[in-house]
Amino acid sequence: MAGARALLRHCPLLLPQDRHGTAYEGFVTAQGRDFHIRILLPKDLQLKNARIECSWHLKKILRGYRHILKQRLHSCPDLVSFMVELKTVLEIALKNTQDLHIPRPPEYYSCLVRDLETLGWNRVAYVDTGLTTVKLKAEDSCGRQHLITLKLNAKYPTEPPGCLVDFPVPFAVSWMPQNSLIDIYNQFLAALESLKEFWDALDEIDGKTWVLEPENPSRSATTRRIAIGNNVSVNIEVDPRHPNMLPECYFLGADHEVNPLRTKLNNNMHLWDPEISLLQNLRELLEIDFPSRVVLEKSDFAKDCGICYAYRLDGSVPDHVCDDPRCGQPFHQACLYEWLQGLPTSRQSFNVIFGECPYCNK
């Protein structure tokens, strides 16, 4: 209910179309203009699998921002957060679209070229033909490569450029009319160092374990679903500002497999040591060794869905497992829900559906 009120406050023209909260339609407002939009969520309400439909005009305006919006769909915790991000991106896109039609004074170009020369062309990854979009590259202290995209308006340097980065936290620029691109670049470098421990922790997990989701994580992604064994995994949500603290953990798998893991986590929680790595802490608290990329292939512990016979379906991997220890067959939630709905013997209570396993009939 609180989520619905928050959504109504931020987007009063976007209304739910069903009682399950899986379809919304209406308008998103930016710079006094309304744009038609429709958002379809899967039954599990996971934003990463959402489908967004909009007018051709809005699609054209957001064309250059698709990868940013896709990242936000994966990293935002709920629909309200995503809509706030969408409105911010739309504001920037509209501002830059308008700027394309504003003649820029000669001083704009001379100031921009001077700033780029001061910054150093070796730090420039891209400049568009109209000199309105600039991408700068940087390397953090661990050798990771990063980009910052600057969208300059006609009033630069009186007004700061819009900044787009692949960060798990907002990046706000401090700007004065006398500032230049090198000031933004230095703030970018400082932000990279502030996120160093977060990326170190996730890089170790990506390199030493089998990450089931996301398949190709962006630098803004804060979640990892890590394989533990046959059809057993843990989904962790890491706080980018406090990466050495205990993350939120959610276990997926059959009850007889995950219940002992939950018990170990609860019993050993007091042993969490912020002085050692996130992965080492998880190993010690759960008293396990995660499957290693060096020793095992993904096929050794990841099975295809028992209904559609595919491993990845619309970006998702099987996340529901039969609780019978003699079966343990995994399924995609969408496949299993559709299967159970089609059974005459299944029953539903609120948002839970009960029925027989397609494999063992338990």
Side-chain angles (χ1 to χ4, degrees), residues 206-357:
D206 292 339
K208 295 183 178 180
T209 71
W210 275 108
V211 173
L212 302 178
E213 294 179 290
E215 191 172 17
N216 297 301
S218 64
R219 287 296 175 194
S220 60
T222 58
T223 61
R224 294 293 190 276
R225 182 179 168 192
I226 311 170
I228 294 177
N230 285 333
N231 307 312
V232 183
S233 58
V234 60
N235 196 77
I236 64 168
E237 173 83 33
V238 182
D239 184 346
R241 300 189 189 279
H242 306 285
N244 292 327
M245 303 305 291
L246 177 65
E248 291 186 31
C249 297
Y250 175 70
F251 294 96
L252 297 103
D255 287 345
H256 69 277
E257 296 275 8
V258 302
N259 285 341
L261 293 170
R262 290 194 189 102
T263 301
K264 286 178 184 177
L265 180 64
N266 291 331
N267 291 343
N268 297 335
M269 203 175 289
H270 65 284
L271 300 175
W272 187 272
D273 183 359
E275 298 301 318
I276 63 176
S277 74
L278 174 62
L279 180 59
Q280 186 60 32
N281 268 307
L282 289 174
R283 285 192 187 116
E284 295 186 7
L285 264 65
L286 298 176
E287 300 174 11
I288 59 170
D289 283 322
F290 291 97
S292 168
R293 288 177 171 270
V294 178
V295 179
L296 298 172
E297 297 292 330
K298 187 178 286 189
S299 57
D300 292 329
F301 52 80
K303 292 182 181 178
D304 294 340
C305 170
I307 296 173
C308 72
Y309 300 110
Y311 181 67
R312 197 167 291 279
L313 178 69
D314 295 332
S316 296
V317 301
D319 55 358
H320 277 59
V321 179
C322 177
D323 283 329
D324 192 310
R326 293 168 297 179
C327 178
Q329 176 64 42
F331 307 96
H332 294 114
Q333 177 175 289
C335 295
L336 190 58
Y337 183 77
E338 190 173 337
W339 173 278
L340 293 176
Q341 272 195 320
L343 292 179
T345 55
S346 66
R347 60 185 178 84
Q348 187 160 352
S349 175
F350 297 101
N351 63 335
V352 180
I353 189 167
F354 301 86
E356 293 80 22
C357 170

Side-chain angles (χ1 to χ4, degrees), residues 42-76:
K43 292 182 176 65
D44 59 5
L45 303 182
Q46 291 292 312
L47 278 178
K48 61 184 178 182
N49 296 322
R51 192 166 87 244
I52 299 176
E53 300 173 354
C54 59
S55 63
W56 69 268
H57 184 50
L58 179 57
K59 190 179 290 187
K60 184 178 179 182
I61 292 171
L62 294 174
R63 182 179 298 162
Y65 300 84
R66 283 187 202 164
H67 64 293
I68 298 293
L69 293 176
K70 192 172 182 180
Q71 290 169 1
R72 294 306 174 226
L73 275 175
H74 278 73
S75 59
C76 285

